[in-house]
Amino acid sequence: DQQVKQNSPSLSVQEGRISILNCDYTNSMFDYFLWYKKYPAEGPTFLISISSIKDKNEDGRFTVFLNKSAKHLSLHIVPSQPGDSAVYFCAKTSYDKVIFGPGTSLSVIP
Amino acid sequence: NAGVMQNPRHLVRRRGQEARLRCSPMKGHSHVYWYRQLPEEGLKFMVYLQKENIIDESGMPKERFSAEFPKEGPSILRIQQVVRGDSAAYFCASSPDLTGIGQYFGPGTRLTVT
């Protein structure tokens, strides 16, 4: 029962370009959607969230878009930097547990 | 303000042994969550605890796994009679109140069952 899907296991982007990470979900009865970033041998770090009543949230170089009719969200990183190379997890939550997708490994090439 | 601490960072157990994973939440946080990440998968919720109470254990395997968060000391995730399929990274998160968007994660414990 994969409630959060990230169909691209990996993505490579040139430094300075835009990175677009995609995520689809099946059950929309959640209040928030989240993006986490994870480096090897570390725990996930919260990046950005979006309420289910909004369609866009922006924080510096990071913007998350939510398309409720398509049950799809995306994370845009612009401009991409080598330090952004990590695994990105899409997730959703209501009030306690966080449900994670399988992750997309982003490589930003200098 | 130290972050969430987990120990040990790496744990090797033979099949049939017990594994004890510890999690010290951030100062001021009274809510603890445990997640498991199997190879090539995302993190899966296991259990949510407050001090001395298990609130939601819907993600815990029915047998061999238990968790506690005593009044004093760290939260403990205990796996009895480990099997190879228990090999995974176990992450703990904490928050100051009940929330899904304010959880801070520890670095994880990587359990290897030989």
Side-chain angles (χ1 to χ4, degrees):
Chain A
D1 177 22
Q2 244 190 336
Q3 295 189 44
V4 180
K5 300 176 185 178
Q6 294 177 259
N7 293 322
S8 298
S10 61
L11 175 69
S12 287
V13 172
Q14 206 73 28
E15 181 180 3
R17 302 285 187 119
I18 184 171
S19 295
I20 300 177
L21 296 100
N22 293 302
C23 175
D24 298 296
Y25 60 93
T26 56
N27 181 348
S28 55
M29 297 298 290
F30 283 82
D31 295 331
Y32 284 90
F33 295 90
L34 320 169
W35 284 94
Y36 280 85
K37 176 180 179 179
K38 185 182 180 302
Y39 294 115
E42 294 185 13
T45 303
F46 170 75
L47 199 55
I48 191 169
S49 67
I50 186 167
S51 165
S52 59
I53 62 173
K54 296 194 173 181
D55 52 22
K56 178 182 175 181
N57 188 27
E58 192 171 351
D59 183 2
R61 297 186 297 114
F62 303 91
T63 303
V64 57
F65 296 92
L66 176 60
N67 181 334
K68 287 183 281 293
S69 61
K71 296 188 177 179
H72 176 86
L73 68 157
S74 60
L75 175 68
H76 292 209
I77 307 173
V78 55
S80 301
Q81 300 172 354
D84 296 330
S85 297
V87 176
Y88 288 79
F89 292 101
C90 172
K92 60 180 185 177
T93 185
S94 52
Y95 65 98
D96 59 352
K97 64 173 73 79
V98 178
I99 298 177
F100 288 85
T104 296
S105 178
L106 173 66
S107 296
V108 179
I109 304 162
Chain B
N1 187 11
V4 177
M5 299 177 69
Q6 291 188 248
N7 66 80
R9 293 294 308 275
H10 300 275
L11 182 62
V12 179
R13 285 287 177 267
R14 291 200 182 101
R15 278 179 297 171
Q17 291 184 319
E18 178 180 287
R20 281 188 180 233
L21 289 64
R22 294 175 193 77
C23 168
S24 296
M26 286 181 70
K27 188 176 181 180
H29 288 193
S30 58
H31 300 250
V32 166
Y33 315 79
W34 284 93
Y35 295 82
R36 175 167 67 172
Q37 184 181 22
L38 295 169
E40 308 301 323
E41 295 187 15
L43 284 74
K44 296 276 196 294
F45 169 81
M46 299 181 75
V47 62
Y48 158 49
L49 310 102
Q50 291 181 31
K51 288 280 187 182
E52 301 184 279
N53 283 304
I54 296 173
I55 308 301
D56 181 352
E57 55 181 348
S58 58
M60 286 278 269
K62 294 285 185 279
E63 298 175 351
R64 302 188 296 108
F65 285 73
S66 62
E68 62 177 9
F69 189 16
K71 189 176 180 181
E72 302 290 337
S75 175
I76 307 284
L77 179 68
R78 182 181 176 207
I79 311 172
Q80 294 179 290
Q81 299 176 321
V82 295
V83 300
R84 287 226 172 102
D86 297 333
S87 295
Y90 292 81
F91 293 94
C92 165
S94 73
S95 64
D97 48 36
L98 175 59
T99 179
I101 64 170
Q103 295 182 16
Y104 293 82
F105 281 80
T109 294
R110 181 159 298 279
L111 172 66
T112 302
V113 179
T114 62

